[in-house]
């Protein structure tokens, strides 16, 4: 049976950064503001220019009327054409048409076609500027003709090009201003947020609860940083408390509650590591198994509190007799074990056992002022002479301890196979 094809998740679209969003927002805002201002100014300027152009054409038409009045009265078409040509060439005029009193053409002047720019100016003027201006030519109050004047649009076209150039220049300046502003925002807004995000990532990935967000100038971002730091304080306290609880539980799991010595589990684990190292270096490891000979009598006659004091005193004396590299542990009840690693000579283990027995000779003072004497029986086993693993070495030392106890309480013996004083 054909297995169904698992659905393919669509590719993740990269998210824009805060800096790019702010930069685009600045550019859009600047573009809209400048465009609206430019359009408003151009509309107002076009209205004003239309009014100006209309007034100018009216004045020009009346001036031309005074000029051709005599030519109309006397019917001199050539003089009329020359007169309007002289004036029209100096003005922003595209066409002048003179008609007589009956409306018949009398004289005319037209601006030469010119290049493409001139034709474009006239087309723009025909759309944006007012239509031709017509005025009467009077002589002694009698209408002798009409004059129609149409503007060229050169000035208007120049103004339009200048306005568009100004808009482009303003847009360029706004882009530069938006870039500078975005850089400032990067320092004032984006950079603090990046720092906060960096601390958050360090806390999440590395559990670096000691990291803190630095103060910033912006009040809202500074408050956000303070709240985040307060949250980190709580997390750090919680982590420290959890670490202390874990350390306490770990210590309780691997140490004796009464004496503070390592327990059997930790002793066997460290003994196994020491045997592994000794197998590489070729050195010996010694184990001393100790038992208090009169502990049951002390516990039954003087009480459990006295027994606890005796066990604590034995543990303290064992610590004083050993090197820092050695390990002493309590296995439970009145049984203790000592690991001596490394050991170069078997005789050194015997000397240490005798020193331990000697340290037990002084009496132990109880809380009520009474004193009690105690003795220890010790069994000594060596690696690799008596066993090659931790369990076997402990069994050999335990058996040697019981032989020493049966032979004479308060003595020590080597495990079977190695001669030692009884």
């Amino acid at each position: 049976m054909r297995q169904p094809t698992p659905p393919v998740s669509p590719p993740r679209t990269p998210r824009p950064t805060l800096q790019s969003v702010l930069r685009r927002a600045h550019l859009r805002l600047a573009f809209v503001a400048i465009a609206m201002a430019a359009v408003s100014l151009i509309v107002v300027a076009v209205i004003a220019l239309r009014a100006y152009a209309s007034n100018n054409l009216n004045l020009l038409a009346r001036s031309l009327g005074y000029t051709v009045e005599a030519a109309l009265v006397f019917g001199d078409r050539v003089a009329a054409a020359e007169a309007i040509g002289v004036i029209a060439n100096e003005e922003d005029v595209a066409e002048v048409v003179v008609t007589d009193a009956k409306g018949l053409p009398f004289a005319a002047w037209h601006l030469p076609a010119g290049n493409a720019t001139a034709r474009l100016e006239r087309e723009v003027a025909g759309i944006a500027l007012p239509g031709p201006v017509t005025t009467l030519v009077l002589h002694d109050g009698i209408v002798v003709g009409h004059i129609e004047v149409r503007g060229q649009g050169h000035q208007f076209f120049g103004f339009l090009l200048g306005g568009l150039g100004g808009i482009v220049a303003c847009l360029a300046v706004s882009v530069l201003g938006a870039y500078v502003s975005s850089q400032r925002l990067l320092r004032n807004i984006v950079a603090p947020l990046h720092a906060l995000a960096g601390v958050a990532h360090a806390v999440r990935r590395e559990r670096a609860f000691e990291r803190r967000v630095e103060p910033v100038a912006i009040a809202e971002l500074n408050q956000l940083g303070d709240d985040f730091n307060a949250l980190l304080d709580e997390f750090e306290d919680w982590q420290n408390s959890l670490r202390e609880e874990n350390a306490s539980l770990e210590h309780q799991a691997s140490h004796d509650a009464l004496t503070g010595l390592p327990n059997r589990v930790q002793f066997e684990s460290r003994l196994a590591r020491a045997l592994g190292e000794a197998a590489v270096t070729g050195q010996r490891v010694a184990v001393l198994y100790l038992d208090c000979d009169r502990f049951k009598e002390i516990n039954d006659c003087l009480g459990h509190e006295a027994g606890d004091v005796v066990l604590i005193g034995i543990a303290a004396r064992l610590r004083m007799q050993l090197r820092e590299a050695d390990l002493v542990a309590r296995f439970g009840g009145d049984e203790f074990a000592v690991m001596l690693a490394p050991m170069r000579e078997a005789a050194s283990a015997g000397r240490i056992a005798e020193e331990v027995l000697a340290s037990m000779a002084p009496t132990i003072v109880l809380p009520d002022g009474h004193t009690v004497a105690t003795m220890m029986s010790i069994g000594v086993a060596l690696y690799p002479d008596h066993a090659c693993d931790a369990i076997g070495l402990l069994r050999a030392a335990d058996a040697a301890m019981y032989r020493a106890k049966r032979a004479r309480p308060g003595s020590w013996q080597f495990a079977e196979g190695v001669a030692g004083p009884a």
Side-chain angles (χ1 to χ4, degrees), residues 291-294 357 374-378 401-413 422:
D291 183 84
C292 182
D293 294 323
R294 299 184 57 240
L357 293 178
T374 183
M375 293 185 301
M376 303 290 291
S377 295
I378 304 176
M401 181 271 295
Y402 276 108
R403 289 202 313 275
K405 185 184 290 288
R406 288 193 299 268
R408 187 177 74 237
S411 64
W412 68 275
Q413 283 194 12

Side-chain angles (χ1 to χ4, degrees), residues 68-129:
V68 301
E69 178 184 350
L72 283 170
V73 172
F74 294 103
D76 191 347
R77 296 176 182 273
V78 176
E82 292 178 355
I84 61 176
V86 172
I87 296 176
N89 281 325
E90 301 295 330
E91 300 292 338
D92 188 20
V93 177
E95 183 183 30
V96 178
V97 177
V98 180
T99 58
D100 57 15
K102 297 178 180 181
L104 299 175
F106 184 78
W109 179 89
H110 298 278
L111 184 69
N115 54 21
T117 302
R119 290 194 298 271
L120 179 61
E121 290 177 356
R122 294 178 192 178
E123 292 178 1
V124 172
I127 297 173
L129 292 180

Side-chain angles (χ1 to χ4, degrees), residues 187-383:
R187 293 192 300 269
N188 296 336
I189 297 179
V190 180
L193 292 178
H194 280 172
L196 192 148
V199 174
H201 286 314
V203 171
R204 181 174 66 87
R205 296 175 181 175
E206 306 170 10
R207 294 295 185 266
F209 291 103
E210 72 282 357
R211 296 279 298 272
R212 291 297 182 271
V213 180
E214 298 295 332
V216 295
I218 300 177
E220 291 81 2
L221 294 180
N222 189 68
Q223 183 63 42
L224 177 62
D226 290 343
D227 293 340
F228 189 77
N229 288 338
L231 184 63
L232 289 180
D233 290 338
E234 296 181 5
F235 276 127
E236 186 176 15
D237 292 341
W238 172 79
Q239 185 190 41
N240 292 335
S241 176
L242 184 62
R243 185 183 294 113
E244 292 175 358
E245 291 179 3
N246 290 338
S248 176
L249 292 174
E250 182 180 358
H251 186 273
Q252 293 176 11
S254 59
H255 288 75
D256 175 55
L258 177 64
T259 62
L261 296 177
N263 58 17
R264 188 184 191 102
V265 174
Q266 183 180 2
F267 185 88
E268 291 180 353
S269 174
R270 293 183 59 178
L271 177 60
R273 291 200 302 269
L275 295 180
E277 295 174 359
V280 176
T281 60
Q283 294 179 327
R284 283 188 172 92
V285 176
V287 171
L288 278 61
Y289 206 104
L290 301 88
D291 183 84
C292 182
D293 294 323
R294 299 184 57 240
F295 182 74
K296 186 177 185 305
E297 177 185 344
I298 295 171
N299 218 22
D300 293 342
C301 297
L302 301 179
H304 293 290
E305 293 183 359
D308 291 345
V309 172
V310 171
L311 292 175
I312 293 173
I314 291 174
R317 293 179 182 184
L318 288 175
R319 288 195 191 98
M320 294 176 61
Q321 298 301 317
L322 301 177
R323 303 167 299 180
E324 292 184 0
D326 300 332
L327 176 66
V328 57
R330 181 191 175 198
F331 280 6
D334 59 345
E335 293 183 346
F336 296 83
V338 174
M339 179 183 71
L340 306 175
M343 293 294 297
R344 295 182 179 179
E345 300 177 357
S348 299
R351 288 195 298 271
I352 293 176
E354 292 177 354
E355 292 174 358
V356 170
L357 293 178
S359 68
M360 299 299 167
T363 58
I364 297 175
V365 181
L366 301 178
D368 59 2
H370 292 83
T371 60
V372 60
T374 183
M375 293 185 301
M376 303 290 291
S377 295
I378 304 176
V380 181
L382 295 173
Y383 166 86

